[in-house]
Amino acid sequence: MKIWVLAGLFLNTISSLSAQKSYWSKVEKRESTLGVAEVFQKFNTPQFQLKLVKASQTVAALRPMDEISFDYTPGERLEIRDKDSLYHLGDINLKIKTLNGSWKTYSTAYNRSAVTPLKTQDNILAAADLSNTLPKDIPVSIARYYELDNDQLVMRFKITNTQNVPIEIGALGVPMIFNNILEGKSLTEAHKQNVFFDPYIGKDAGYLEVKRLSGKGPALLVIPKENMAFEAYRPLMDDPTPKSIVFEGFHEWMVHSKAYTENEWKGVEQWNQPTSLILQPNESKNYSLKFVLSKGVQQIQETLVKEERPVAIGVPGYVIPKDVKASLFINYNSEVTSIDVYPKGALKIKEDGTTTSGLKKYIISGNEWGRARLTLTYNDGLEQTINYKVIKPEAEVIKDFGNFLTTEQWFNDPNDPFGRSPSAITYDYEKKEQVTQDGRVWISGLSDEGGAGSWLAAIMKQLVQPNKGEIQKLQDFIDHVLWGNIQYSEGEHKYGVKKSLFYYEPDSLPKGTYDKNIDYTTWAAWDHKHANDRGRSFNYPHVAASYWVMYRLARYHNGLVDNKNWDWYLKNAYHTIVAMMEQAPYYAQFGQMEGSVFLSILKDLQHENFNEFATDLEARMKKRADHWKALDYPFGSEMPWDSTGQEEVYTWTDYFGYEHKANITLNAILAYMPTMPHWAYNGNARRYWDFLYGGKAGETSRVERQIHHYGSGINAIPVLKQYRKTPDFYLLQVGYGGLMGSISNITQDGFGPAAFHSYPSLLKIDGISGDYGSGFYGYAVNSATYITEHEQLGWLAFGGNLSQKDGLIEVVPTTAAKSKIYLTSKKLWLTLDAGTFNKITYNTTTGEVTLVLGPKTTHTPKAYLRIDGPVQLPFNKVRNAYEIVLDKKEKKITF
């Protein structure tokens, strides 16, 4: 069964895939020029079997010797992709000019011709002069070598200036062609046969990690060998392999990028300072990459250390709130000789000695909001860059966010024909205006992720940081828009959720209702009937989550909610879940984004002794979990492959004790969610098509790797949950990277964009709010302070500032809610349904823990503390939480 049939795609997706198949057919019919009909060459190294097309000496396959049936490259499509302009591993791209000339582009892929083999000797496996496959006017000669260095596979390019004048190489890139083409694959086939790859664009310390979709088996690392600084990561837009939801596209590893920054990327601040190379007459320079295997995804940093590469570990990561004292640890055998900060003064760096294991430690503080780059120069000449994002203190970020949603994004038009008023509606940050119309009707229709994102975020914000005035507005939204309009409040469809309130039906509405400048001729301009469809299950969690938050506000605080009783909200949350399974049964078989909220609702039903509802909900969820248990990779959705169902699949397989399936789910997440010293990629869950469906219309609506799309926030939920079960520091790095990544793109004035654009021609946030609300859900339910002792790094805090004296560890939380703490050494999970943690101290000698709770407030006179761990406190339990009467001053609790 094809993967898109299994997933039951939207009509637009089916149309997209049909178009892609047609395009594949056109590619297949083109003339073969690579020479695959001729002989292949095979070479066995200790780690790999390397297969080359003899005529081109490009890579036809790269297989690990321990599993010879697996290929990291798209070799399975070699006979289709054997045409001009389709890139292969072994190609090279350049832009070159004389010192007073203009840039000219050269590539080994554009006009294929058999290369000239060179004699091999010693450790050289194969070599070729590439002149035949390059334009005649190229001012350099290029020889490519596949060779062994201490039994490790190396690909080397030797570039020689053949002119009698100096030349400048302003762009030099090596295409990274690995098998991320998912077209035509079932989920099982894709997870077993395909890979994803993530770049650490960190100059000499940079690398590319290539991981199977399953997250299992060895991970391939591509690392610099000689003169191969990872300066930029360029999408290969000229490769005709059809990009779509089943193919993200290929990129190239760029050593030099100055020529692009002068033209195609002009005016865009890049991750690294662009460079070029002046090559003198007859001068040669080698550029080489090494291919090594890591035992697994979680051993990548360990493998880099073994390969004597500079390894940086940032705590709590690379998104730094201004009130956080972050740590940076450097593991490298060469001394740091200089540190540079760009922009100047954006970061404050302070040396903090070395760890007991000999790692260099620095304290990093953020001074100026925005992107910042740290450049470390080592004694051996290597340069490493680490890209940070400095944000306001989390409490300020969330306060600004809530304010923006309920002012700038607050739509108030009693005469709106679609019944959307009042509500938080999609916002165009570039135009500084609300998006009340869009050709994709859901964008302005308050449903689907792209339309519901803003009001969902506004309500989830109240879970973190309740604000009476904002809650009053949201109550009006619930009473007049959500209940009875977005969601049916009566009749046979009661509790069903519509796909959109906005729709395109010009004959049924007054002239002038629709903007003539918007294209309403596409499939996305649903009419009234299609907008009212209740069959998209992914719309239901937004509604259920909102009811759940309002229940918590009404139940655990005084006077914040006054439009409905707490039980109305909790019961409505339950009925919304049931409606999802009864009125949208097809898609409900898949994991839902925000589906983890269903477990929170179940637990609260149990706490309230709503036994009938709780028993029914648990039974319904078990049926879904049993279905997932029976599948190899239960991560389908309306898309062929997705990174949003894993959150709920993990939640329920873990809850019902299906540990094997929960681990499969976790490993799949780790395959597309890396940790690396770069704020944009650290914890960034893979997503590359939602600029089409949730981003701003126009030229940026395209298939493009998204930076901290909502996948980062929701996938951090299972990763951190697993960390609390099995404390592996790698999980904490990945999970916290995704958690903080989910708020990293919020602007200084509080606007939350759909995601950040990764293409070097843009490198900025998307223009509209879109589907960001789902990502903020991930932050709201998952934000916590983690305290751990690392065997090499010592005592660390993620989400707090840590100090220690003798055996006493003290942590002041810096999260916005200050409501959750995990103390790893005691496996204590401390959560507050109401109230705040102002401080926690832990005596490592006696094991004594002291909590300092914040004073009471008008709306929060009591704290409700839950402890997952072997602790008993002398307070009454209410709904299985300790009820603690707060004082005018801080309150200490010791156990």
Side-chain angles (χ1 to χ4, degrees), residues 93-106:
N93 293 323
L94 304 101
K95 282 182 182 287
I96 306 175
K97 70 174 184 176
T98 56
L99 297 187
N100 295 316
S102 57
W103 298 114
K104 186 168 183 180
T105 301
Y106 302 93

Side-chain angles (χ1 to χ4, degrees), residues 428 430 440 688-706 754-759 761-768:
D428 188 322
E430 294 172 344
R440 303 155 296 173
Y688 53 86
W689 60 76
D690 264 341
F691 283 137
L692 294 170
Y693 307 126
K696 185 170 181 176
E699 63 181 13
T700 60
S701 180
R702 61 196 180 195
V703 173
E704 174 187 5
R705 177 71 183 276
Q706 296 175 276
F756 187 94
H757 286 269
S758 66
Y759 279 6
S761 56
L762 207 56
L763 289 182
K764 69 175 185 177
I765 60 171
D766 192 65
I768 67 171

Side-chain angles (χ1 to χ4, degrees), residues 378-449:
Y378 296 98
N379 190 53
D380 60 6
L382 266 62
E383 278 191 356
Q384 175 174 20
T385 59
I386 302 170
N387 276 267
Y388 283 93
K389 179 67 180 290
V390 178
I391 63 174
K392 293 181 179 181
E394 288 181 56
E396 292 183 32
V397 172
I398 305 311
K399 180 182 178 181
D400 294 341
F401 183 52
N403 179 67
F404 198 99
L405 286 162
T406 53
T407 55
E408 299 300 317
Q409 290 188 238
W410 196 253
F411 176 68
N412 197 349
D413 180 3
N415 299 317
D416 179 56
F418 306 100
R420 297 171 294 178
S421 176
S423 66
I425 200 167
T426 302
Y427 190 82
D428 188 322
Y429 193 68
E430 294 172 344
K431 293 183 177 181
K432 297 294 187 287
E433 64 184 27
Q434 296 171 0
V435 181
T436 57
Q437 294 196 46
D438 192 287
R440 303 155 296 173
V441 298
W442 60 84
I443 291 293
S444 49
L446 302 184
S447 201
D448 194 275
E449 293 74 64

Side-chain angles (χ1 to χ4, degrees), residues 502-609:
F502 186 69
Y503 55 87
Y504 183 68
E505 204 164 273
D507 294 339
S508 65
L509 291 168
K511 287 186 178 181
T513 297
Y514 297 101
D515 187 338
K516 293 181 180 180
N517 296 315
I518 295 177
D519 182 9
Y520 284 111
T521 64
T522 71
W523 67 270
W526 298 330
D527 60 18
H528 193 227
K529 177 183 177 181
H530 287 94
N532 283 346
D533 179 41
R534 310 167 323 281
R536 189 174 186 274
S537 63
F538 305 100
N539 295 322
Y540 289 73
H542 314 325
V543 178
S546 298
Y547 288 147
W548 174 71
V549 170
M550 296 299 287
Y551 151 75
R552 303 277 286 195
L553 294 171
R555 192 59 161 146
Y556 291 99
H557 301 269
N558 293 347
L560 287 178
V561 176
D562 53 25
N563 69 327
K564 299 283 194 301
N565 290 329
W566 61 265
D567 61 333
W568 184 89
Y569 280 112
L570 184 57
K571 290 175 182 177
N572 263 36
Y574 159 77
H575 287 300
T576 300
I577 302 170
V578 173
M580 179 190 78
M581 290 182 280
E582 293 183 348
Q583 298 190 45
Y586 181 78
Y587 289 125
Q589 70 179 297
F590 304 116
Q592 312 289 299
M593 69 285 287
E594 307 143 43
S596 56
V597 78
F598 299 158
L599 178 57
S600 298
I601 293 167
L602 172 61
K603 289 182 177 179
D604 281 325
L605 290 170
Q606 293 168 339
H607 294 154
E608 297 289 0
N609 293 318

Side-chain angles (χ1 to χ4, degrees), residues 795 807-809 823 825-828 840-851 870-871 893-895:
W795 280 97
L808 196 66
I809 305 299
L823 182 56
S825 58
K826 293 182 74 70
K827 291 195 172 182
L828 273 179
I840 178 174
T841 59
Y842 172 52
N843 190 314
T844 59
T845 302
T846 65
E848 184 177 79
V849 175
T850 299
L851 305 177
V871 175
I893 300 171
T894 300
F895 52 88

